[in-house]
Amino acid sequence: MQELLERKKGLHRSILIVDDEFVEREMLGAMLSDLYEIKFAENGALALDIIRQNKLTLSLIILDLYMPELDGYSLLKIIRADVELRRIPVIVLTAEKGAEVKSLQLGAADFITKPYDAPDVIRARVGHSIELAEGSIIIHETERDSLTGLFNREFFFEYGKRLDAQNNIPMDAIVLDVNRFHMINELYGRAYGDLILKKIGNSIHEFVCRTGGLAARSGSNTFGIYIPHLDNPNEELAKYIAAINEDMGGQKISVRIGIYSDDGTPKDMEQRFDCARLTCRKLRNSYETTYDFYNAELHVKELHEERLISDMDRALSEKQFKVFYQPKYSITGDKPVITSAEALVRWFHPEFGMVSPGQFISLFENNGLIHKLDRYVWNEAAAQIRLWKEKYGKYIPVSVNVSRVDVFNPKLCEILNDVTGINGLSNDKLLLEITESAYTDNAQQIIDTIQNLRNNGFKIEMDDFGCGYSSLNMLTALPIDALKLDMKFIRNICNDKKDYRLVGIMIEIARLLEVPVIAEGVETKEQMELLKAIGCDIIQGYYFSKPLPADEFEKLIEA
Ligand code: C2E
Ligand code: CA
Ligand code: CA
Protein backbone atom coordinates (compact mmCIF):
# COMPACT_ATOMS: atom_id res chain seq x y z
CA MET A 1 0.00 0.00 0.00
CA GLN A 2 2.67 2.43 1.08
CA GLU A 3 4.61 1.55 -2.01
CA LEU A 4 1.62 2.16 -4.20
CA LEU A 5 1.14 5.58 -2.67
CA GLU A 6 4.77 6.41 -3.28
CA ARG A 7 4.43 5.35 -6.85
CA LYS A 8 1.33 7.37 -7.34
CA LYS A 9 3.02 10.37 -5.90
CA GLY A 10 6.00 9.84 -8.13
CA LEU A 11 3.80 9.53 -11.17
CA HIS A 12 2.65 13.08 -10.88
CA ARG A 13 6.16 14.26 -11.42
CA SER A 14 7.74 14.58 -14.78
CA ILE A 15 11.35 14.35 -15.80
CA LEU A 16 13.03 15.51 -18.96
CA ILE A 17 15.91 13.42 -20.28
CA VAL A 18 18.20 15.27 -22.66
CA ASP A 19 20.71 13.15 -24.54
CA ASP A 20 21.66 13.01 -28.19
CA GLU A 21 22.12 9.26 -28.10
CA PHE A 22 18.92 7.38 -28.58
CA VAL A 23 19.95 4.25 -26.72
CA GLU A 24 21.12 6.10 -23.63
CA ARG A 25 17.92 8.13 -23.51
CA GLU A 26 15.79 5.04 -23.73
CA MET A 27 17.80 3.16 -21.13
CA LEU A 28 17.45 5.92 -18.58
CA GLY A 29 13.83 6.38 -19.48
CA ALA A 30 13.16 2.71 -18.90
CA MET A 31 14.75 2.88 -15.46
CA LEU A 32 12.49 5.76 -14.38
CA SER A 33 9.28 5.45 -16.34
CA ASP A 34 7.47 3.39 -13.73
CA LEU A 35 7.80 6.20 -11.22
CA TYR A 36 7.75 9.33 -13.34
CA GLU A 37 6.32 10.73 -16.47
CA ILE A 38 9.25 10.96 -18.88
CA LYS A 39 9.85 13.46 -21.66
CA PHE A 40 12.79 13.25 -24.06
CA ALA A 41 14.86 15.72 -26.03
CA GLU A 42 17.76 14.95 -28.33
CA ASN A 43 19.57 18.24 -28.10
CA GLY A 44 19.82 21.34 -25.94
CA ALA A 45 17.73 23.57 -28.19
CA LEU A 46 14.78 21.19 -28.26
CA ALA A 47 15.20 20.67 -24.55
CA LEU A 48 14.96 24.38 -23.89
CA ASP A 49 11.63 24.56 -25.73
CA ILE A 50 10.25 21.71 -23.69
CA ILE A 51 11.55 23.20 -20.45
CA ARG A 52 9.95 26.57 -21.20
CA GLN A 53 6.66 24.96 -22.04
CA ASN A 54 6.68 22.84 -18.92
CA LYS A 55 8.45 25.14 -16.54
CA LEU A 56 5.74 24.79 -13.95
CA THR A 57 5.44 21.03 -14.02
CA LEU A 58 8.92 19.66 -14.64
CA SER A 59 10.42 18.13 -11.52
CA LEU A 60 13.84 17.33 -12.86
CA ILE A 61 16.08 17.51 -15.89
CA ILE A 62 18.66 14.88 -16.65
CA LEU A 63 21.19 16.41 -18.97
CA ASP A 64 23.95 15.04 -21.12
CA LEU A 65 26.83 17.49 -21.30
CA TYR A 66 28.05 16.78 -24.80
CA MET A 67 25.51 17.30 -27.51
CA PRO A 68 25.18 19.07 -30.87
CA GLU A 69 23.24 22.35 -31.24
CA LEU A 70 23.22 23.58 -27.68
CA ASP A 71 25.47 21.61 -25.37
CA GLY A 72 24.66 20.68 -21.79
CA TYR A 73 26.88 23.33 -20.22
CA SER A 74 25.23 26.14 -22.15
CA LEU A 75 21.78 24.84 -21.40
CA LEU A 76 22.61 24.55 -17.72
CA LYS A 77 23.77 28.14 -17.73
CA ILE A 78 20.55 29.31 -19.34
CA ILE A 79 18.42 27.41 -16.85
CA ARG A 80 20.29 28.75 -13.88
CA ALA A 81 20.07 32.32 -15.11
CA ASP A 82 16.31 32.17 -15.66
CA VAL A 83 14.26 33.13 -12.61
CA GLU A 84 11.46 30.87 -13.60
CA LEU A 85 13.50 27.86 -14.62
CA ARG A 86 16.10 27.76 -11.97
CA ARG A 87 13.89 26.00 -9.49
CA ILE A 88 14.07 22.85 -11.64
CA PRO A 89 16.96 20.66 -10.47
CA VAL A 90 19.37 19.33 -13.08
CA ILE A 91 21.35 16.11 -12.89
CA VAL A 92 24.18 15.93 -15.40
CA LEU A 93 25.29 12.81 -17.24
CA THR A 94 29.02 12.52 -17.62
CA ALA A 95 31.79 10.09 -18.23
CA GLU A 96 34.65 12.24 -16.94
CA LYS A 97 35.61 13.25 -13.45
CA GLY A 98 36.52 16.85 -14.40
CA ALA A 99 33.10 17.50 -15.82
CA GLU A 100 31.45 16.66 -12.52
CA VAL A 101 33.17 19.49 -10.73
CA LYS A 102 32.47 21.98 -13.45
CA SER A 103 28.81 21.06 -13.66
CA LEU A 104 28.33 21.20 -9.92
CA GLN A 105 29.92 24.64 -10.02
CA LEU A 106 27.38 25.64 -12.63
CA GLY A 107 24.63 24.65 -10.25
CA ALA A 108 23.79 21.06 -11.18
CA ALA A 109 22.09 19.24 -8.35
CA ASP A 110 23.96 16.00 -8.87
CA PHE A 111 25.61 13.85 -11.52
CA ILE A 112 25.29 10.35 -12.87
CA THR A 113 28.29 8.72 -14.46
CA LYS A 114 28.19 6.75 -17.64
CA PRO A 115 28.09 3.85 -18.07
CA TYR A 116 25.12 3.75 -15.76
CA ASP A 117 25.20 2.30 -12.29
CA ALA A 118 22.52 -0.04 -11.13
CA PRO A 119 18.97 1.30 -11.70
CA ASP A 120 18.40 1.46 -7.94
CA VAL A 121 21.26 3.85 -7.44
CA ILE A 122 20.05 6.06 -10.26
CA ARG A 123 16.52 6.07 -8.90
CA ALA A 124 17.81 6.99 -5.48
CA ARG A 125 19.81 9.90 -6.89
CA VAL A 126 16.87 11.14 -8.91
CA GLY A 127 14.50 10.83 -5.96
CA HIS A 128 16.93 12.61 -3.68
CA SER A 129 17.45 15.55 -6.05
CA ILE A 130 13.75 16.02 -6.48
CA GLU A 131 13.17 15.91 -2.78
CA LEU A 132 15.89 18.46 -2.10
CA ALA A 133 14.53 20.78 -4.76
CA GLU A 134 11.01 20.47 -3.44
CA GLY A 135 12.29 21.29 0.00
CA SER A 136 13.73 24.48 -1.34
CA ILE A 137 10.40 25.16 -3.03
CA ILE A 138 9.13 25.91 0.42
CA ILE A 139 11.41 28.92 0.29
CA HIS A 140 10.26 29.54 -3.23
CA GLU A 141 6.71 29.54 -1.94
CA THR A 142 7.34 32.68 0.00
CA GLU A 143 7.63 34.25 -3.44
CA ARG A 144 4.35 32.84 -4.60
CA ASP A 145 0.72 33.43 -3.98
CA SER A 146 -0.50 30.15 -2.56
CA LEU A 147 -3.89 30.27 -4.26
CA THR A 148 -2.80 30.78 -7.85
CA GLY A 149 0.89 29.90 -7.82
CA LEU A 150 1.67 33.25 -9.41
CA PHE A 151 4.25 35.54 -7.87
CA ASN A 152 3.22 37.72 -5.01
CA ARG A 153 3.51 41.43 -5.50
CA GLU A 154 6.83 41.91 -3.82
CA PHE A 155 8.74 39.27 -5.77
CA PHE A 156 6.93 40.13 -8.96
CA PHE A 157 8.44 43.59 -8.88
CA GLU A 158 11.78 42.29 -7.73
CA TYR A 159 12.08 39.78 -10.58
CA GLY A 160 10.53 42.09 -13.10
CA LYS A 161 13.08 44.76 -12.36
CA ARG A 162 15.85 42.21 -12.63
CA LEU A 163 14.48 41.12 -15.96
CA ASP A 164 14.58 44.72 -17.15
CA ALA A 165 18.11 45.20 -15.93
CA GLN A 166 19.29 42.08 -17.73
CA ASN A 167 17.38 42.39 -20.98
CA ASN A 168 16.37 46.00 -21.45
CA ILE A 169 13.70 45.16 -24.01
CA PRO A 170 10.30 46.85 -24.45
CA MET A 171 7.84 45.45 -21.91
CA ASP A 172 4.06 45.73 -21.65
CA ALA A 173 2.27 45.93 -18.31
CA ILE A 174 -1.21 44.56 -17.87
CA VAL A 175 -3.49 44.89 -14.86
CA LEU A 176 -6.50 42.62 -14.64
CA ASP A 177 -9.23 43.01 -12.08
CA VAL A 178 -12.33 40.95 -11.41
CA ASN A 179 -15.48 43.05 -11.62
CA ARG A 180 -17.44 43.26 -8.35
CA PHE A 181 -15.45 40.47 -6.79
CA HIS A 182 -16.72 41.25 -3.30
CA MET A 183 -20.21 40.47 -4.58
CA ILE A 184 -19.08 37.07 -5.81
CA ASN A 185 -17.68 36.33 -2.36
CA GLU A 186 -20.78 37.56 -0.63
CA LEU A 187 -23.25 35.83 -2.88
CA TYR A 188 -21.55 32.50 -3.42
CA GLY A 189 -19.08 32.23 -0.57
CA ARG A 190 -15.34 32.45 -0.28
CA ALA A 191 -14.61 28.96 -1.57
CA TYR A 192 -16.31 29.81 -4.81
CA GLY A 193 -14.49 33.12 -4.97
CA ASP A 194 -11.20 31.27 -4.54
CA LEU A 195 -12.12 28.90 -7.32
CA ILE A 196 -12.71 31.81 -9.67
CA LEU A 197 -9.39 33.36 -8.74
CA LYS A 198 -7.65 30.05 -9.37
CA LYS A 199 -9.23 29.77 -12.79
CA ILE A 200 -8.15 33.25 -13.66
CA GLY A 201 -4.69 32.51 -12.27
CA ASN A 202 -4.45 29.48 -14.56
CA SER A 203 -5.54 31.41 -17.59
CA ILE A 204 -2.88 33.98 -16.83
CA HIS A 205 -0.32 31.21 -16.41
CA GLU A 206 -1.13 30.02 -19.87
CA PHE A 207 -1.05 33.49 -21.30
CA VAL A 208 2.38 34.17 -19.85
CA CYS A 209 3.64 30.79 -21.03
CA ARG A 210 2.76 31.86 -24.56
CA THR A 211 4.23 35.31 -24.35
CA GLY A 212 7.04 34.91 -21.83
CA GLY A 213 7.33 37.19 -18.82
CA LEU A 214 5.94 37.13 -15.29
CA ALA A 215 2.61 37.31 -13.57
CA ALA A 216 1.42 38.02 -10.07
CA ARG A 217 -1.67 38.27 -7.95
CA SER A 218 -1.72 41.31 -5.72
CA GLY A 219 -4.50 42.28 -3.40
CA SER A 220 -7.35 39.86 -3.46
CA ASN A 221 -8.63 40.14 -7.01
CA THR A 222 -6.00 42.04 -8.95
CA PHE A 223 -3.48 40.45 -11.26
CA GLY A 224 -0.36 41.93 -12.82
CA ILE A 225 1.22 40.64 -16.01
CA TYR A 226 4.61 41.80 -17.24
CA ILE A 227 5.49 40.58 -20.69
CA PRO A 228 7.74 41.38 -23.62
CA HIS A 229 6.00 43.95 -25.84
CA LEU A 230 3.16 42.51 -27.92
CA ASP A 231 3.07 43.63 -31.53
CA ASN A 232 -0.54 42.59 -31.94
CA PRO A 233 -2.02 43.07 -28.48
CA ASN A 234 -5.62 43.22 -29.73
CA GLU A 235 -5.33 39.79 -31.20
CA GLU A 236 -3.64 38.33 -28.14
CA LEU A 237 -6.18 39.85 -25.79
CA ALA A 238 -9.12 38.78 -27.87
CA LYS A 239 -7.75 35.24 -27.69
CA TYR A 240 -7.24 35.53 -23.98
CA ILE A 241 -10.70 36.93 -23.35
CA ALA A 242 -12.30 34.22 -25.45
CA ALA A 243 -10.42 31.65 -23.39
CA ILE A 244 -11.39 33.16 -20.07
CA ASN A 245 -15.04 33.49 -21.10
CA GLU A 246 -15.06 29.87 -22.04
CA ASP A 247 -13.39 29.00 -18.77
CA MET A 248 -16.07 30.78 -16.81
CA GLY A 249 -18.62 28.76 -18.75
CA GLY A 250 -21.61 31.03 -18.53
CA GLN A 251 -21.00 32.21 -14.98
CA LYS A 252 -21.69 35.90 -14.71
CA ILE A 253 -18.12 36.84 -14.03
CA SER A 254 -16.26 39.46 -15.93
CA VAL A 255 -12.88 41.09 -15.75
CA ARG A 256 -11.46 44.43 -16.76
CA ILE A 257 -8.03 44.74 -18.24
CA GLY A 258 -5.85 47.85 -18.44
CA ILE A 259 -2.85 47.69 -20.70
CA TYR A 260 0.21 49.83 -20.87
CA SER A 261 1.66 49.01 -24.27
CA ASP A 262 5.31 50.01 -24.51
CA ASP A 263 5.62 53.00 -26.82
CA GLY A 264 9.30 53.63 -26.39
CA THR A 265 9.03 56.36 -23.74
CA PRO A 266 11.45 55.51 -20.96
CA LYS A 267 9.51 54.09 -18.02
CA ASP A 268 10.41 51.66 -15.31
CA MET A 269 8.30 48.70 -14.33
CA GLU A 270 6.44 50.54 -11.61
CA GLN A 271 5.55 53.45 -13.86
CA ARG A 272 4.29 51.07 -16.50
CA PHE A 273 2.07 49.47 -13.92
CA ASP A 274 0.81 52.82 -12.67
CA CYS A 275 -0.37 53.50 -16.20
CA ALA A 276 -1.97 50.08 -16.57
CA ARG A 277 -3.68 50.36 -13.18
CA LEU A 278 -5.12 53.75 -14.01
CA THR A 279 -6.51 52.42 -17.28
CA CYS A 280 -7.97 49.42 -15.50
CA ARG A 281 -9.55 51.60 -12.84
CA LYS A 282 -11.38 53.59 -15.48
CA LEU A 283 -13.17 50.44 -16.61
CA ARG A 284 -14.49 49.72 -13.15
CA ASN A 285 -18.11 50.42 -14.00
CA SER A 286 -18.30 47.88 -16.76
CA TYR A 287 -20.36 44.75 -16.41
CA GLU A 288 -18.72 42.90 -19.24
CA THR A 289 -15.20 41.78 -19.83
CA THR A 290 -13.45 44.74 -21.40
CA TYR A 291 -9.98 46.01 -21.97
CA ASP A 292 -8.44 49.31 -22.82
CA PHE A 293 -5.06 50.79 -23.56
CA TYR A 294 -3.37 53.49 -21.62
CA ASN A 295 -3.56 56.82 -23.40
CA ALA A 296 -0.89 59.35 -22.50
CA GLU A 297 -2.85 62.41 -23.62
CA LEU A 298 -5.84 61.42 -21.58
CA HIS A 299 -3.57 60.85 -18.65
CA VAL A 300 -2.15 64.36 -18.88
CA LYS A 301 -5.69 65.74 -18.97
CA GLU A 302 -6.70 63.67 -15.98
CA LEU A 303 -3.67 64.71 -14.02
CA HIS A 304 -4.52 68.32 -14.79
CA GLU A 305 -8.08 67.77 -13.62
CA GLU A 306 -6.91 66.08 -10.47
CA ARG A 307 -4.71 69.08 -9.83
CA LEU A 308 -7.65 71.44 -10.25
CA ILE A 309 -9.74 69.38 -7.86
CA SER A 310 -7.08 69.23 -5.21
CA ASP A 311 -6.29 72.93 -5.55
CA MET A 312 -9.87 74.05 -5.25
CA ASP A 313 -10.26 74.52 -1.51
CA ARG A 314 -7.14 76.55 -1.27
CA ALA A 315 -8.17 78.61 -4.28
CA LEU A 316 -11.44 79.44 -2.54
CA SER A 317 -9.78 80.53 0.65
CA GLU A 318 -7.17 82.55 -1.23
CA LYS A 319 -9.83 84.12 -3.44
CA GLN A 320 -8.22 82.92 -6.65
CA PHE A 321 -11.69 82.77 -8.17
CA LYS A 322 -12.74 86.11 -9.60
CA VAL A 323 -16.19 86.99 -10.73
CA PHE A 324 -16.49 88.80 -14.05
CA TYR A 325 -19.58 90.64 -15.20
CA GLN A 326 -21.02 90.71 -18.66
CA PRO A 327 -23.67 93.35 -19.30
CA LYS A 328 -27.09 92.59 -20.73
CA TYR A 329 -28.58 95.37 -22.78
CA SER A 330 -32.24 96.05 -23.36
CA ILE A 331 -32.75 96.86 -27.05
CA THR A 332 -36.46 97.61 -27.00
CA GLY A 333 -36.01 101.37 -26.84
CA ASP A 334 -34.17 103.79 -29.14
CA LYS A 335 -30.85 103.26 -27.47
CA PRO A 336 -29.51 100.10 -25.83
CA VAL A 337 -29.43 100.36 -22.02
CA ILE A 338 -27.80 98.11 -19.44
CA THR A 339 -30.46 96.23 -17.53
CA SER A 340 -28.41 93.71 -15.65
CA ALA A 341 -25.27 91.60 -15.79
CA GLU A 342 -24.33 87.95 -15.75
CA ALA A 343 -21.75 86.82 -13.21
CA LEU A 344 -19.19 84.49 -14.79
CA VAL A 345 -16.40 82.99 -12.77
CA ARG A 346 -12.71 82.81 -13.74
CA TRP A 347 -9.95 81.07 -11.87
CA PHE A 348 -6.63 82.88 -11.60
CA HIS A 349 -4.49 79.90 -10.80
CA PRO A 350 -1.01 80.67 -9.45
CA GLU A 351 0.54 78.18 -11.85
CA PHE A 352 -1.80 77.84 -14.82
CA GLY A 353 -2.83 81.49 -15.13
CA MET A 354 -6.43 82.23 -16.04
CA VAL A 355 -8.49 79.08 -16.24
CA SER A 356 -11.89 79.44 -17.89
CA PRO A 357 -15.02 77.86 -16.40
CA GLY A 358 -15.27 75.51 -19.37
CA GLN A 359 -12.33 73.65 -17.87
CA PHE A 360 -13.62 73.18 -14.36
CA ILE A 361 -17.39 73.61 -14.07
CA SER A 362 -18.38 70.19 -15.34
CA LEU A 363 -15.44 68.69 -13.45
CA PHE A 364 -16.74 70.20 -10.22
CA GLU A 365 -20.27 69.19 -11.09
CA ASN A 366 -19.17 65.61 -11.31
CA ASN A 367 -17.76 65.49 -7.83
CA GLY A 368 -20.06 67.80 -5.96
CA LEU A 369 -17.51 70.60 -5.46
CA ILE A 370 -19.71 72.89 -7.52
CA HIS A 371 -21.87 73.61 -4.44
CA LYS A 372 -19.00 75.37 -2.75
CA LEU A 373 -17.90 77.28 -5.81
CA ASP A 374 -21.40 78.44 -6.71
CA ARG A 375 -22.08 79.56 -3.20
CA TYR A 376 -18.89 81.58 -3.31
CA VAL A 377 -19.80 83.16 -6.66
CA TRP A 378 -23.36 83.94 -5.53
CA ASN A 379 -22.02 85.65 -2.49
CA GLU A 380 -19.48 87.68 -4.46
CA ALA A 381 -22.18 88.72 -6.92
CA ALA A 382 -24.59 89.69 -4.14
CA ALA A 383 -21.90 91.72 -2.42
CA GLN A 384 -21.21 93.46 -5.72
CA ILE A 385 -24.87 94.38 -6.21
CA ARG A 386 -24.84 95.90 -2.75
CA LEU A 387 -21.63 97.81 -3.45
CA TRP A 388 -22.94 99.22 -6.71
CA LYS A 389 -26.14 100.24 -5.01
CA GLU A 390 -24.15 102.19 -2.47
CA LYS A 391 -21.88 103.71 -5.11
CA TYR A 392 -24.46 104.58 -7.79
CA GLY A 393 -27.63 104.80 -5.76
CA LYS A 394 -29.42 102.16 -7.81
CA TYR A 395 -29.61 98.44 -8.16
CA ILE A 396 -28.03 96.64 -11.07
CA PRO A 397 -29.46 93.14 -10.90
CA VAL A 398 -26.94 90.38 -11.51
CA SER A 399 -27.76 86.92 -12.70
CA VAL A 400 -25.78 84.00 -11.35
CA ASN A 401 -25.52 80.51 -12.77
CA VAL A 402 -27.16 77.79 -10.74
CA SER A 403 -25.72 74.44 -11.67
CA ARG A 404 -28.03 71.54 -12.44
CA VAL A 405 -26.40 69.86 -9.47
CA ASP A 406 -27.43 72.69 -7.13
CA VAL A 407 -31.01 72.21 -8.19
CA PHE A 408 -31.06 68.88 -6.42
CA ASN A 409 -29.78 70.34 -3.19
CA PRO A 410 -32.77 70.45 -0.83
CA LYS A 411 -31.17 73.43 0.93
CA LEU A 412 -30.79 75.47 -2.25
CA CYS A 413 -33.45 78.02 -1.36
CA GLU A 414 -32.19 78.37 2.18
CA ILE A 415 -28.64 78.99 0.96
CA LEU A 416 -29.77 81.60 -1.54
CA ASN A 417 -31.85 83.31 1.11
CA ASP A 418 -28.74 83.46 3.28
CA VAL A 419 -26.72 84.95 0.44
CA THR A 420 -29.17 87.76 -0.22
CA GLY A 421 -29.92 88.21 3.47
CA ILE A 422 -26.27 88.66 4.45
CA ASN A 423 -25.84 91.25 1.71
CA GLY A 424 -29.02 93.09 2.54
CA LEU A 425 -30.73 92.43 -0.79
CA SER A 426 -34.25 91.51 -1.67
CA ASN A 427 -34.34 88.26 -3.60
CA ASP A 428 -35.44 89.80 -6.89
CA LYS A 429 -32.03 91.47 -7.26
CA LEU A 430 -30.20 88.16 -7.62
CA LEU A 431 -31.40 86.55 -10.84
CA LEU A 432 -30.94 82.83 -11.22
CA GLU A 433 -29.91 81.21 -14.50
CA ILE A 434 -30.78 77.55 -14.70
CA THR A 435 -29.83 75.65 -17.81
CA GLU A 436 -32.67 74.16 -19.81
CA SER A 437 -31.20 70.67 -19.82
CA ALA A 438 -31.59 70.59 -16.03
CA TYR A 439 -35.33 70.80 -16.51
CA THR A 440 -35.43 67.53 -18.35
CA ASP A 441 -33.42 65.59 -15.74
CA ASN A 442 -36.27 65.23 -13.33
CA ALA A 443 -39.13 67.38 -14.40
CA GLN A 444 -41.32 67.32 -11.32
CA GLN A 445 -38.53 67.91 -8.86
CA ILE A 446 -37.24 70.86 -10.80
CA ILE A 447 -40.66 72.38 -11.20
CA ASP A 448 -41.14 72.12 -7.43
CA THR A 449 -37.74 73.61 -6.72
CA ILE A 450 -38.27 76.50 -9.09
CA GLN A 451 -41.74 77.11 -7.82
CA ASN A 452 -40.34 77.33 -4.33
CA LEU A 453 -37.59 79.74 -5.39
CA ARG A 454 -40.11 81.96 -7.10
CA ASN A 455 -42.39 81.90 -4.09
CA ASN A 456 -39.37 83.21 -2.21
CA GLY A 457 -39.11 86.11 -4.62
CA PHE A 458 -36.25 84.93 -6.83
CA LYS A 459 -36.42 85.49 -10.58
CA ILE A 460 -35.56 82.55 -12.83
CA GLU A 461 -34.01 82.71 -16.28
CA MET A 462 -34.01 79.55 -18.34
CA ASP A 463 -30.49 79.36 -19.75
CA ASP A 464 -29.37 77.73 -23.01
CA PHE A 465 -32.93 77.47 -24.23
CA GLY A 466 -33.36 75.34 -27.33
CA CYS A 467 -30.57 73.01 -26.35
CA GLY A 468 -32.33 70.81 -23.85
CA TYR A 469 -35.42 68.93 -24.71
CA SER A 470 -38.23 70.54 -22.81
CA SER A 471 -41.53 69.60 -24.27
CA LEU A 472 -43.88 72.41 -25.12
CA ASN A 473 -46.24 70.86 -22.63
CA MET A 474 -43.70 71.15 -19.86
CA LEU A 475 -42.79 74.71 -20.79
CA THR A 476 -46.29 75.91 -20.08
CA ALA A 477 -46.16 74.24 -16.66
CA LEU A 478 -42.86 75.88 -15.84
CA PRO A 479 -42.73 78.96 -13.74
CA ILE A 480 -39.98 81.13 -15.26
CA ASP A 481 -39.23 84.81 -15.72
CA ALA A 482 -37.09 84.92 -18.85
CA LEU A 483 -35.85 82.73 -21.70
CA LYS A 484 -32.23 82.87 -22.69
CA LEU A 485 -31.62 81.54 -26.18
CA ASP A 486 -28.74 79.19 -26.63
CA MET A 487 -25.77 80.83 -28.26
CA LYS A 488 -25.44 78.29 -31.01
CA PHE A 489 -28.64 79.52 -32.71
CA ILE A 490 -27.38 83.09 -32.70
CA ARG A 491 -24.05 82.22 -34.28
CA ASN A 492 -25.50 81.53 -37.73
CA ILE A 493 -28.64 83.56 -37.56
CA CYS A 494 -27.56 85.87 -40.39
CA ASN A 495 -26.68 83.20 -42.91
CA ASP A 496 -28.65 80.11 -41.94
CA LYS A 497 -32.35 80.35 -42.70
CA LYS A 498 -33.21 77.47 -40.41
CA ASP A 499 -31.52 78.99 -37.40
CA TYR A 500 -33.15 82.29 -38.17
CA ARG A 501 -36.57 80.64 -38.23
CA LEU A 502 -35.87 78.65 -35.11
CA VAL A 503 -35.00 81.79 -33.23
CA GLY A 504 -38.22 83.29 -34.51
CA ILE A 505 -40.17 80.33 -33.16
CA MET A 506 -38.43 80.51 -29.79
CA ILE A 507 -39.29 84.17 -29.53
CA GLU A 508 -42.90 83.22 -30.27
CA ILE A 509 -42.77 80.70 -27.45
CA ALA A 510 -41.49 83.37 -25.11
CA ARG A 511 -44.42 85.56 -26.15
CA LEU A 512 -46.76 82.72 -25.39
CA LEU A 513 -45.22 82.31 -21.95
CA GLU A 514 -45.26 86.09 -21.55
CA VAL A 515 -41.60 86.34 -20.63
CA PRO A 516 -38.81 88.44 -22.17
CA VAL A 517 -36.19 86.86 -24.47
CA ILE A 518 -32.48 87.24 -23.96
CA ALA A 519 -30.06 86.43 -26.77
CA GLU A 520 -26.50 85.73 -25.73
CA GLY A 521 -23.38 85.31 -27.79
CA VAL A 522 -24.28 88.25 -29.99
CA GLU A 523 -21.08 89.34 -31.66
CA THR A 524 -22.04 91.55 -34.60
CA LYS A 525 -24.20 94.53 -35.41
CA GLU A 526 -26.08 92.48 -38.04
CA GLN A 527 -27.00 89.84 -35.49
CA MET A 528 -28.14 92.50 -33.07
CA GLU A 529 -30.31 94.26 -35.64
CA LEU A 530 -31.83 91.07 -36.91
CA LEU A 531 -32.71 90.04 -33.36
CA LYS A 532 -34.17 93.42 -32.67
CA ALA A 533 -36.28 93.18 -35.80
CA ILE A 534 -37.81 89.87 -34.78
CA GLY A 535 -38.63 91.03 -31.29
CA CYS A 536 -35.76 89.99 -29.02
CA ASP A 537 -35.76 92.05 -25.84
CA ILE A 538 -32.31 91.76 -24.32
CA ILE A 539 -28.86 91.17 -25.79
CA GLN A 540 -25.69 89.87 -24.22
CA GLY A 541 -22.48 89.30 -26.12
CA TYR A 542 -19.14 90.51 -27.31
CA TYR A 543 -20.85 93.02 -29.60
CA PHE A 544 -21.53 95.08 -26.49
CA SER A 545 -18.92 93.77 -24.13
CA LYS A 546 -16.95 90.76 -23.01
CA PRO A 547 -17.30 89.69 -19.37
CA LEU A 548 -15.32 92.25 -17.35
CA PRO A 549 -13.80 92.53 -13.89
CA ALA A 550 -16.02 94.60 -11.59
CA ASP A 551 -13.93 97.78 -11.83
CA GLU A 552 -14.02 97.75 -15.62
CA PHE A 553 -17.72 97.03 -15.59
CA GLU A 554 -18.14 100.21 -13.57
CA LYS A 555 -16.91 102.24 -16.52
CA LEU A 556 -19.88 100.94 -18.50
CA ILE A 557 -22.25 101.96 -15.74
CA GLU A 558 -20.70 105.40 -15.54
CA ALA A 559 -20.92 105.84 -19.31
P1 C2E B 1 -23.21 80.24 -19.98
O1 C2E B 1 -23.95 80.36 -18.69
O2 C2E B 1 -24.01 79.87 -21.18
O3 C2E B 1 -22.43 81.57 -20.17
C1 C2E B 1 -22.21 82.19 -21.39
C2 C2E B 1 -20.85 81.96 -21.93
O4 C2E B 1 -20.72 82.59 -23.17
C3 C2E B 1 -19.74 82.57 -21.09
O5 C2E B 1 -18.61 81.73 -21.19
C4 C2E B 1 -19.48 83.88 -21.80
O6 C2E B 1 -18.19 84.41 -21.55
C5 C2E B 1 -19.63 83.46 -23.22
N1 C2E B 1 -19.97 84.56 -24.12
C6 C2E B 1 -20.63 85.69 -23.83
N2 C2E B 1 -20.78 86.44 -24.93
C7 C2E B 1 -20.19 85.78 -25.96
C8 C2E B 1 -20.01 86.05 -27.37
O7 C2E B 1 -20.44 87.05 -27.89
N3 C2E B 1 -19.38 85.09 -28.09
C9 C2E B 1 -18.90 83.95 -27.54
N4 C2E B 1 -18.28 83.08 -28.33
N5 C2E B 1 -19.04 83.67 -26.23
C10 C2E B 1 -19.69 84.58 -25.44
P2 C2E B 1 -17.74 81.38 -19.95
O8 C2E B 1 -17.59 82.55 -19.06
O9 C2E B 1 -16.53 80.71 -20.45
O10 C2E B 1 -18.64 80.33 -19.18
C11 C2E B 1 -18.93 79.11 -19.73
C12 C2E B 1 -19.98 78.39 -18.96
O11 C2E B 1 -19.53 78.06 -17.66
C13 C2E B 1 -21.22 79.23 -18.72
O12 C2E B 1 -22.05 79.14 -19.83
C14 C2E B 1 -21.82 78.58 -17.51
O13 C2E B 1 -22.57 77.45 -17.89
C15 C2E B 1 -20.60 78.11 -16.77
N6 C2E B 1 -20.29 79.02 -15.66
C16 C2E B 1 -19.59 80.17 -15.65
N7 C2E B 1 -19.53 80.67 -14.40
C17 C2E B 1 -20.22 79.83 -13.61
C18 C2E B 1 -20.53 79.79 -12.21
O14 C2E B 1 -20.16 80.66 -11.41
N8 C2E B 1 -21.26 78.72 -11.76
C19 C2E B 1 -21.70 77.75 -12.60
N9 C2E B 1 -22.40 76.73 -12.09
N10 C2E B 1 -21.42 77.76 -13.90
C20 C2E B 1 -20.69 78.79 -14.40
CA1 CA C 1 -25.56 81.47 -17.92
CA1 CA D 1 -26.05 80.15 -21.82
Side-chain angles (χ1 to χ4, degrees), residues 22 29 33 78 87-88 114-115 117 156 189 243-244 253 281 295 303 360 373 378 383 398 404 419 439-440 467 505:
F22 177 76
S33 64
I78 293 172
R87 63 155 196 94
I88 308 169
K114 293 185 186 181
D117 300 322
F156 177 60
I244 201 170
I253 284 156
R281 204 169 61 199
N295 173 333
L303 285 180
F360 55 83
L373 178 63
W378 301 339
V398 173
R404 58 202 303 140
V419 168
Y439 293 76
T440 43
C467 223
I505 291 169

Side-chain angles (χ1 to χ4, degrees), residues 328 342-344 399-402 433-435 461 463-464 484 520 540:
K328 297 179 186 174
E342 176 176 8
L344 293 158
S399 66
V400 293
N401 288 285
V402 175
E433 293 192 13
I434 301 179
T435 181
E461 296 181 358
D463 203 356
D464 310 319
K484 223 177 155 178
E520 71 178 327
Q540 177 187 348

Side-chain angles (χ1 to χ4, degrees), residues 326 342 345-346 357 374 401 463-464 487 520-521 523 542 547:
Q326 187 175 33
E342 176 176 8
V345 70
R346 273 93 186 92
D374 274 351
N401 288 285
D463 203 356
D464 310 319
M487 245 190 290
E520 71 178 327
E523 294 183 354
Y542 296 170

